[in-house]
Amino acid sequence: MAAELVSQVLDALSANDSILSSDAFPGVPSSAVKGALDRLESRGMVTYQTVEREEANLTEEGKGIATEGSHEAKVYEVVSKAIEGLRISDLPTLVGKESAKVGQGKAFKEGWIKKDQEGRLIANTQTIQDITREQLLTIQQQRTYDDPRVLTELRKRKLIAMQKVISYKVSKASRYAREFVKEETDLNEEMLANDSWKTKTFKPYNFKALGAPIPCGALHPLNKVRHEFRQIFFEMGFVEMPTNRYVETGFWNFDALFVPQQHPARDLQDTFYISDPPMADKPRADPPELDRQYPPLQAVHEQGNMASYEKYWTNIREVHEEGKYGSIGYRYPWSEEESLRLVLRTHTTAISTYMLHKLAANPRPARYFSIDRVFRNESVDATHLAEFHQVEGVIADFGLTLGGLIGFMETFFGKMGVHGLRFKPAYNPYTEPSMEIFGYHAGLGRWVEIGNSGMFRPEMLEPMGLPRDMRVYGWGLSLERPTMIKYGVKNIRELLGHKVDLNFVEHNPAVRLEQD
């Protein structure tokens, strides 16, 4: 059929410079016509333009009126034939329920019928003009009507339905010919041997054609932004911490950070607790083979300075219950059972605490960072999930000050393209002083919180065995927020979870945090 249609198009153009496909090929699907036109256009034989218009088609009820007359005309006809008038209750039997219901009111409105003194229906005129039928007959022939108000009224009465019709205005092109010559796509050995290639017509190369899509993997936008963050950390001399422990004890997740056991963050409505097994053993040294897989920890084993976990456990209990290291503590009965409960970690600061305790075996300046998943018992909405990714960095050194932390934050966020930061005092159980970090979001036109920072408290550092004059900066932010800003995502559920569109993952470009 495609080859026949190509020939028919060329034949139709032989007598005219241009044709309209809907007139020349009525009943042929527009998709088939377009296929033939695309084939001819690629050879430079024709050009075409798409023409869209709306046609009016009669519904089944409309077709019935065009054939038999309108409802009001049927009512008038039976009323005019009744010499003594017609009772209203007799109408459904004579003209049908639908015609009686609709036609009675229309006939009254047009003044074709009226009621006599006894309430019977009688004719009010000798002749009528069935305008509705005439309009539908015109639409049936022309597929439209001159007065758009008529079309609107008939659509309301559901007598017609509008349908979009696509046709094509076709014109001759520079290479038009009455005959469609097959073009060869390959030059083969036989053509070269018999010289037939000299008389053949070859299809030209289309250098603008897109290649076939190659199925391949794609990095998730979160991974692209995560890569940028890692590069920033590595440029600034940081070492990545091992973050493969999603399940932590309350000791590492809360107690070692000087978070009291009555703190609201430890409630069931904020934290996911593990039910099986519900508790873990007391903190103890990891097997040497695990530590040796990670270079910063391997140095601890080589030097033989292993931190005492039993002493660390005792120090944490005492700093909570009685106070220590110049602190009065919280002064409450500290529970070992609460400290050993297993939780899904609520922050990667648990990993930072673990690394700083390892560092206490050989105190020295160090820079650590981590980017990994954490879990909170949050209500899921457009900006919150029960799991997200936290970016965290810590710097341990001697003589650190709050001014140095502010300066470092400006340098760190400057590498992300965020300048002119603002800092607001805040509270964290394990940092003092603490600061919220704000950056101006041009798209939103307001200042937004982009991170949290502070200097770890002595009640957290000295129980590990770190020197009294060693200070530690700590700061963190979510990975999702900068990713949503960079990729224009308004709902976090479209970025992470089962609602993620794979096309969004495959076709989004790489990100550069320092560029818009």
Side-chain angles (χ1 to χ4, degrees):
M1 178 180 178
E4 294 177 1
L5 192 55
V6 167
S7 299
Q8 291 173 11
V9 171
L10 295 175
D11 290 342
L13 282 172
S14 63
N16 303 281
D17 290 334
S18 63
I19 59 172
L20 193 64
S21 62
S22 56
D23 296 336
F25 314 108
V28 179
S30 60
S31 58
V33 174
K34 188 177 187 305
L37 296 179
D38 285 338
R39 191 176 181 187
L40 290 169
E41 187 182 47
S42 67
R43 308 288 177 87
M45 301 178 73
V46 303
T47 60
Y48 71 91
Q49 295 176 336
T50 302
V51 179
E52 293 186 2
R53 69 177 190 277
E54 277 196 328
E55 283 189 354
N57 295 309
L58 271 57
T59 62
E60 290 301 319
E61 183 180 359
K63 292 176 181 177
I65 291 176
T67 304
E68 302 172 0
S70 64
H71 300 303
E72 54 268 30
K74 291 179 181 178
V75 170
Y76 171 79
E77 184 179 353
V78 296
V79 170
S80 63
K81 290 179 179 179
I83 299 175
E84 298 179 356
L86 189 69
R87 290 181 300 178
I88 295 177
S89 58
D90 293 336
L91 273 180
T93 305
L94 298 172
V95 298
K97 290 183 179 180
E98 185 66 23
S99 293
K101 179 181 177 182
V102 177
Q104 182 184 164
K106 283 281 186 181
F108 273 117
K109 184 178 179 181
E110 296 291 338
W112 295 351
I113 61 174
K114 65 179 181 178
K115 290 183 180 179
D116 62 11
Q117 294 180 352
E118 297 180 0
R120 291 176 177 269
L121 299 176
I122 59 175
N124 194 35
T125 183
Q126 296 296 322
T127 59
I128 63 170
Q129 183 181 3
D130 194 351
I131 297 176
T132 301
R133 183 185 185 188
E134 293 174 358
Q135 291 170 342
L136 290 175
L137 287 172
T138 301
I139 292 172
Q140 194 173 40
Q141 294 174 356
Q142 300 179 1
R143 303 287 183 176
T144 187
Y145 201 82
D146 294 336
D147 191 347
R149 292 174 297 180
V150 172
L151 295 175
T152 302
E153 177 64 25
L154 294 176
R155 284 180 65 184
K156 288 181 180 179
R157 295 179 62 182
K158 297 183 180 180
L159 300 180
I160 63 170
M162 305 305 293
Q163 181 182 10
K164 182 183 287 188
V165 177
I166 299 176
S167 58
Y168 305 96
K169 183 179 180 181
V170 189
S171 304
K172 296 177 181 177
S174 57
R175 298 180 61 187
Y176 169 80
R178 183 72 179 270
E179 183 181 356
F180 183 80
V181 180
K182 180 183 177 183
E183 293 180 330
E184 301 291 341
T185 57
D186 293 305
L187 179 65
N188 54 42
E189 183 181 357
E190 183 181 350
M191 293 180 188
L192 294 173
N194 57 23
D195 288 338
S196 61
W197 64 271
K198 296 179 180 179
T199 57
K200 297 286 186 181
T201 302
F202 289 90
K203 185 176 182 180
Y205 283 108
N206 183 4
F207 293 103
K208 295 181 180 180
L210 298 176
I214 301 174
C216 60
L219 286 177
H220 191 282
L222 281 173
N223 281 335
K224 295 176 184 178
V225 177
R226 180 179 183 273
H227 173 75
E228 286 295 302
F229 271 112
R230 293 182 79 240
Q231 293 304 112
I232 291 173
F233 278 116
F234 289 141
E235 287 175 7
M236 302 181 77
F238 283 77
V239 175
E240 191 166 15
M241 295 184 281
T243 57
N244 54 349
R245 297 205 307 249
Y246 287 170
V247 178
E248 290 282 3
T249 62
F251 177 83
W252 289 111
N253 199 77
F254 297 117
D255 293 310
L257 276 68
F258 199 53
V259 178
Q261 293 183 345
Q262 299 82 14
H263 195 279
R266 302 177 77 151
D267 292 343
L268 286 173
Q269 61 264 30
D270 293 312
T271 301
F272 291 109
Y273 284 89
I274 306 300
S275 59
D276 186 19
M279 298 176 64
D281 297 333
K282 288 184 178 181
R284 61 173 183 267
D286 291 329
E289 58 271 16
L290 292 181
D291 279 353
R292 290 194 180 99
Q293 294 176 6
Y294 189 67
L297 300 181
Q298 185 176 355
V300 175
H301 285 274
E302 292 174 351
Q303 294 167 2
N305 299 328
M306 302 301 295
S308 171
Y309 285 86
E310 186 61 37
K311 184 178 180 181
Y312 187 32
W313 173 268
T314 303
N315 289 341
I316 292 297
R317 186 189 72 243
E318 291 176 351
V319 80
H320 278 255
E321 281 188 341
E322 305 165 7
K324 204 172 182 179
Y325 312 107
S327 170
I328 63 173
Y330 291 116
R331 299 182 181 184
Y332 69 93
W334 187 75
S335 169
E336 290 190 4
E337 289 76 11
E338 181 67 24
S339 184
L340 296 177
R341 291 180 70 183
L342 289 173
V343 302
L344 288 178
R345 67 181 179 207
T346 60
H347 47 196
T348 53
T349 315
I351 302 298
S352 302
T353 308
Y354 168 81
M355 291 298 297
L356 290 172
H357 178 247
K358 294 281 189 181
L359 183 68
N362 180 24
R364 64 198 184 281
R367 295 186 173 196
Y368 299 132
F369 83 93
S370 64
I371 307 173
D372 212 333
R373 191 168 296 193
V374 297
F375 307 87
R376 306 271 177 89
N377 195 356
E378 299 266 11
S379 297
V380 176
D381 57 28
T383 57
H384 296 85
L385 289 176
E387 55 182 296
F388 59 95
H389 295 79
Q390 182 175 339
V391 181
E392 180 162 331
V394 294
I395 298 178
D397 207 340
F398 299 94
L400 298 179
T401 64
L402 180 63
L405 174 60
I406 293 175
F408 182 85
M409 289 295 96
E410 290 175 341
T411 301
F412 176 78
F413 283 98
K415 290 181 175 290
M416 298 165 50
V418 181
H419 303 279
L421 302 179
R422 288 182 179 179
F423 299 90
K424 176 184 175 183
Y427 168 76
N428 277 317
Y430 45 90
T431 57
E432 180 61 36
S434 306
M435 300 181 299
E436 292 175 346
I437 307 168
F438 290 82
Y440 187 76
H441 191 293
L444 298 176
R446 60 184 175 88
W447 291 85
V448 296
E449 183 183 351
I450 57 175
N452 216 314
S453 65
M455 300 181 69
F456 287 136
R457 297 175 64 108
E459 295 96 329
M460 174 183 167
L461 300 177
E462 292 190 38
M464 301 175 179
L466 288 170
R468 179 180 288 269
D469 58 345
M470 176 168 272
R471 301 287 183 266
V472 179
Y473 295 152
W475 73 95
L477 64 153
S478 76
L479 182 64
E480 280 75 6
R481 176 164 290 182
T483 304
M484 292 174 69
I485 292 173
K486 283 294 180 181
Y487 284 95
V489 177
K490 296 182 179 179
N491 192 328
I492 193 172
R493 289 168 289 193
E494 297 174 2
L495 183 67
L496 186 66
H498 66 283
K499 293 186 176 181
V500 175
D501 184 358
L502 291 181
N503 289 323
F504 166 74
V505 175
E506 292 173 356
H507 297 116
N508 267 295
V511 68
R512 294 294 181 265
L513 293 176
E514 76 282 2
Q515 298 177 2
D516 293 333

